[in-house]
Every structure is written in structure tokens, then in C-alpha cells.
Amino acid sequence: MIISELSGKTYHVIIYGCQMNKHDGERIAGMLDSLGATRVDTIEESDIVIFVTCCVREAADVRLMGQAASLKNVPLREGAPVTKRIVAIGGCIGQRDGDKLVDTLPHIDVVFGTFNLSSLPRLLEQTILTGEPMVEVLDSADEFPTSLPSQREHSWAAWLPISIGCNNFCTYCIVPHVRGREKSRPMEDVLADARAYVADGVKEITLLGQNVNSYGRDLYGEPRFAELLRQVSATGIERIRFATSHPKDLNDEVIQAFAELPNLMPALHLPVQSGSNAILKKMNRKYTREHYLDIVRKLREVRPDIALSTDIIVGFPGETEEDFQQTYDLVREVGYHQVFTFIYSPREGTPAAKMILEDDTPREVIQERFQRLVDLVQEGAFAANQPEAGKVVPVLVEGSSRRDETMLTGRSPKNLTVHAHIPEGSDIDELKGTFVDVKINKAKTWYLAGEVL
Ligand code: SAH
Ligand code: SF4
Ligand code: F3S
């Protein structure tokens, strides 16, 4: 082991935001562990705290500032090898704000961005040695974080980034500004990782990108996501999932993959954002409601059991009651298993943030529409889950239920949460990462319950 300033120190990673950040968190843990640091679960036990941040909506910003500020009041552990807890901020806020963070939060020691995860150990070492804050933010990536060691959260599941960045510039969205342009990883590299995961006993691979459907356009001149799916499927991995899809790039070949590949799970997150063509246009989404519904129809033709989920923004600048109604109707028509609903949050530097100046929809009206949608989403999720009752589903076990230690929790092929009693004489630690067949006897809004066969 290389001798490092980090050796013998404890660190705690706090992750906000999307799967990309979760994956980055695993790489951070991999790097720090390889330098002799030890991961701990609480701030109290930690010598170093690392925030991997998100700025997609204002709420995420505010939460970081509050939590980072309150760290000052948490005493160090007994015998800590530091005189002051080291605090690092990375991820999308680190990328966006850089130096500014050290000015607003004076006890921050390290700021890093989305393109230089690999610099984190060096920046931490330098700040420990010098006592000076270290800020390093780059404009683009020279390597994929996949080249770094990883400490997977679950031994049986792996995130596998196939592209980073985004070229879509939806008018509300900050992501292209903090994650840069879309850059795909060569297919051979992705496949080499997938094969290594299979050899390592991984049961489920989730391919990651801001828009997986355009995978390969920058490398091969045309999207090759469907081909990538076929090749990953051929590695023999038990379950494949992917996130996220952009409807404008989800082509017939990918739809066909759902018909052909048995290990591609029957679940798809397909963000629609709005059901109104006028709003979709203002959002720069480049598809219509009709096109979206056509994709849904085709998917269900080839895979009738497919479970759909989506993201929706309520209160985009200029959204009228009629626009909202169209979103509401679309949600009812599709019958989603899960809908992530967001109130529009203006992000500085995005085109929509300027549109809001002309918008005078009162906050209460937006809030009331949001609530109407949330109610519908719950009804819809409950209804969509009902056909599961009575079925036997293969569940990939994740561990014991947080609420009840005698119950196990896992995921069905449709990615629905399943709870069941831990069979008598079974050890939950041995069940983790294995498949059990569960006979579902109860379908609730957000989970299924049953008994292990
Ligand atoms: N690349 C993915 C994820 C983007 S961020 C995709 O295209 O789907 C995840 C979700 O956050 C988006 O789908 C959108 O619904 C929501 N979102 C993004 N920017 C937002 C904003 N300014 N206000 C409210 N919600 C936003
Ligand atoms: Fe943001 Fe749109 Fe890119 Fe998704 S596709 S990350 S919503 S700009
Ligand atoms: Fe948030 Fe950055 Fe992901 S802004 S949603 S963590 S890409």
C-alpha cells in the first residue's frame, strides 16, 4: 500500500442527486480505501466529510448549504488524527461554483468538480499538509471515472456509465452546464467492464448516461445503444437496466431489444416532463405528446408487462391550466408504476430562468396543480401494481427491511420493491444478492408483499 496522508483517517461520503453521483461516490470510496482510509457511516466518526452534490433544483442547493454549515458543531472523534474535520465539496455544485464555495463557507477545505474525481485524494493530502483550502475545477474530462478503483455499494449490483454529459439543453436544465457535452465510452471498454462484473458475481448491471439512447453518436456517427444492449445481454448477466432515456432518441431498435433480450428487465424510466406540446416545445424536448404515446404503445406491443415510470415538471414558465390538464390526462392514460414529480425550479444560466420573468402564475396555483398530480400518481401506482397480486416473481434480495428485521426486501423484474418474511433458518446475509421466488399476496401503492416459496 502506498503511504498517504489519508492512511488511517476515516471518511464519510454524503451523496445527493442522480445515479451518476452515486457511481462517483463508489469511485471516491474506491480511491480513498486504496490509500488506506476507512469509510464510516456517520459524520461523528469521520475525520473527512465529502459531499457529492446536485444542483438540478434549488432545494438541493439549499440543503447542502445548511448541512455543510452545521458540520462545524459536530465534535471530532476521540483521538482523531486531525485537529479540524476536513470538508470537501464535489459534484455538480462544486463544478458550478468552484472558488465561490470557499468564500461562502469558510470552513470548506477542498472543492472539486465533476471532471476531476481523480484529483480528490491529492487535494485532500495537500490541504492536510498545508492547512490551505484547495480548489480544482476543470472544464472537461480527460478520462472516464470508470478508470478509477471502485468500492461498490452492493457486491451484486453495478452501475456502468456508458456516456457522460448531455447535448440536449432542455431549457430548464442545468445538467449540460455542469456535466459538459456528451461523451460515449468505446463499446469494447463497456463490454470489458460488463464481463468483469459477471465474472465477479454481479447479478444486475445498470447502464448509465444522461441520455443512454444517443450512446455512441459521438464515436460512431450514429447511436448504437441497441447494439450495446445486445452485447451486454450476451455476457450472460442476469439483469440489465438502464437510465436515463430521452424519448426523442428511443428508436425502434431499442424497443425491439425489449422483445428479444430476456435479461433486459421489463421496466423503463421514460421522462415525459409535460403532456402539452406547447410546453414540450418551450422545454426544447423535440418530441410531441403523440410521439411519446406512440413509443408507449409500441413498447407494450412487444413487452406487454413493461413497467413504466417518468419525470414530470409542474409549473414550467407559462404553463396554463389547459397545459397542465394535458399532462394530467397523459399520466392517467399511460398508467405509470412510478412518477417523479417536480415543481419547476429556475436555474441561473438556463433559458427558462429568463422566461419565468414573464410568467405570473401564482405559486398557490402551481402548488395546487402539483398536489392534484401527486394524488393521481398514487392512485395510478396502486392500480398498476394490482395485477401483481397472485403472481410468483423472482426477487433479487437487497437485505432486511429497515422497518422489520424479520422481513427481506428486494426488487422484482419490474423494479418494484418486494417485502417477504425471511424463511425460517435462512441467514439474511447469505440471501443478499441472490434470487428468491416470492408469491405476491398484497399489492400496495409503493411495494408488494408476499411469501418466499
Ligand atoms: N438526464 C435525465 C435526468 C435529468 S435530471 C433526463 O433527461 O431525464 C432529472 C429530472 O429533474 C428531470 O427529468 C426533470 O424532470 C427534473 N428537472 C431538471 N431540471 C429541473 C428544474 N429546473 N426544475 C424542476 N425539475 C427539474
Ligand atoms: Fe437535462 Fe434534458 Fe439533458 Fe436530461 S436530456 S440531462 S433533462 S438537458
Ligand atoms: Fe444533479 Fe448533477 Fe445529477 S445536477 S441530477 S447530480 S448530473
Side-chain angles (χ1 to χ4, degrees):
M1 186 180 295
I2 313 155
I3 295 298
S4 156
E5 280 304 316
L6 301 174
S7 164
K9 299 200 169 59
T10 56
Y11 69 95
H12 179 54
V13 191
I14 299 173
I15 300 173
Y16 299 112
C18 64
Q19 285 99 336
M20 280 295 172
N21 272 9
K22 289 190 187 140
H23 174 262
D24 286 354
E26 295 183 344
R27 298 283 162 185
I28 288 172
M31 285 189 292
L32 299 189
D33 286 2
S34 73
L35 293 170
T38 306
R39 185 170 188 165
V40 290
D41 292 332
T42 64
I43 294 171
E44 283 77 9
E45 297 166 276
S46 69
D47 306 325
I48 302 169
V49 173
I50 299 148
F51 289 95
V52 186
T53 61
C54 172
C55 55
V56 79
R57 285 170 291 276
E58 193 183 356
D61 268 53
V62 173
R63 203 162 42 157
L64 169 78
M65 295 307 163
Q67 206 171 2
S70 71
L71 276 185
K72 274 188 300 202
N73 309 327
V74 184
L76 286 171
R77 65 181 169 129
E78 234 181 71
V82 285
T83 49
K84 165 200 170 302
R85 182 173 287 109
I86 306 295
V87 182
I89 296 188
C92 294
I93 297 184
Q95 183 68 32
R96 184 194 63 188
D97 292 351
D99 283 325
K100 265 196 281 174
L101 281 170
V102 184
D103 302 334
T104 32
L105 293 164
H107 58 291
I108 298 300
D109 304 285
V110 169
V111 178
F112 62 107
T114 54
F115 298 122
N116 62 338
L117 275 193
S118 61
S119 309
L120 178 64
R122 175 172 49 78
L123 297 171
L124 288 171
E125 287 169 355
Q126 284 171 345
T127 195
I128 291 170
L129 284 170
T130 63
E132 296 292 323
M134 296 290 153
V135 178
E136 188 181 290
V137 174
L138 308 180
D139 291 337
S140 64
D142 42 14
E143 61 181 359
F144 273 91
T146 40
S147 62
L148 304 172
S150 174
Q151 193 62 50
R152 286 199 307 276
E153 186 183 340
H154 300 304
S155 59
W156 64 88
W159 309 112
L160 178 40
I162 64 169
S163 63
I164 52 174
C166 181
N167 291 349
N168 291 315
F169 290 96
C170 303
T171 53
Y172 50 82
C173 185
I174 194 76
V175 171
H177 306 266
V178 286
R179 290 276 174 176
R181 291 303 72 72
E182 183 175 276
K183 214 168 142 186
S184 305
R185 282 181 80 202
M187 199 173 298
E188 309 81 75
D189 294 6
V190 176
L191 291 172
D193 277 2
R195 288 188 202 106
Y197 285 142
V198 173
D200 198 26
V202 168
K203 304 282 168 51
E204 176 174 298
I205 288 178
T206 304
L207 304 174
L208 287 186
Q210 294 299 342
N211 175 12
V212 291
N213 297 283
S214 58
Y215 166 79
R217 192 177 273 150
D218 54 320
L219 292 179
Y220 310 113
E222 54 173 20
R224 287 179 63 182
F225 184 58
E227 186 187 337
L228 182 72
L229 281 176
R230 288 194 292 268
Q231 302 258 12
V232 173
S233 171
T235 63
I237 184 79
E238 306 238 17
R239 289 184 167 185
I240 307 171
R241 302 186 188 280
F242 58 83
T244 304
S245 279
H246 195 306
K248 83 176 164 64
D249 293 311
L250 196 140
N251 58 26
D252 289 347
E253 227 189 321
V254 175
I255 294 175
Q256 202 48 36
F258 277 101
E260 287 165 10
L261 309 177
N263 46 1
L264 178 57
M265 291 295 102
L268 177 66
H269 185 62
L270 193 59
V272 66
Q273 313 297 356
S274 168
S276 149
N277 284 336
I279 296 297
L280 287 171
K281 197 161 179 80
K282 283 193 186 180
M283 289 177 163
N284 192 31
R285 290 288 290 178
K286 301 196 175 104
Y287 55 84
T288 59
R289 156 196 191 94
E290 292 74 25
H291 180 68
Y292 185 93
L293 289 171
D294 206 39
I295 296 174
V296 170
R297 184 186 54 74
K298 286 188 199 163
L299 281 164
R300 288 196 165 136
E301 244 169 56
V302 302
R303 197 89 177 239
D305 62 336
I306 197 163
L308 298 173
S309 56
T310 199
D311 291 349
I312 285 174
I313 297 176
V314 177
F316 186 83
E319 186 180 61
T320 63
E321 176 60 28
E322 211 187 336
D323 293 320
F324 173 75
Q325 261 312 321
Q326 297 204 334
T327 301
Y328 191 91
D329 292 345
L330 182 138
V331 169
R332 200 164 35 197
E333 189 173 337
V334 175
Y336 293 104
H337 276 265
Q338 169 83 283
V339 180
F340 298 92
T341 47
F342 307 107
I343 290 189
Y344 169 70
S345 169
R347 303 284 68 204
E348 206 183 311
T350 60
K354 290 177 206 121
M355 297 178 199
I356 200 158
L357 301 175
E358 304 147 26
D359 185 33
D360 56 0
T361 312
R363 197 75 202 161
E364 310 82 71
V365 172
I366 293 174
Q367 194 63 52
E368 183 276 328
R369 287 179 192 154
F370 182 77
Q371 194 52 52
R372 250 190 289 159
L373 185 61
V374 168
D375 293 345
L376 175 68
V377 165
Q378 293 204 1
E379 267 172 50
F382 183 79
N385 280 346
Q386 290 319 302
E388 301 301 304
K391 284 187 190 162
V392 176
V393 296
V395 172
L396 180 53
V397 179
E398 293 179 352
S400 51
S401 154
R402 248 175 285 164
R403 286 216 205 115
D404 181 350
E405 292 235 315
T406 67
M407 304 284 284
L408 64 81
T409 294
R411 297 288 180 139
S412 77
K414 296 183 183 180
N415 214 18
L416 305 172
T417 298
V418 179
H419 299 303
H421 283 107
I422 299 170
E424 219 160 304
S426 299
D427 178 353
I428 186 67
D429 288 324
E430 278 167 26
L431 285 176
K432 268 188 205 175
T434 68
F435 291 97
V436 293
D437 282 332
V438 175
K439 171 100 194 260
I440 304 300
N441 51 34
K442 215 163 38 180
K444 301 287 220 180
T445 307
W446 301 127
Y447 68 91
L448 309 174
E451 295 304 329
V452 176
L453 289 187

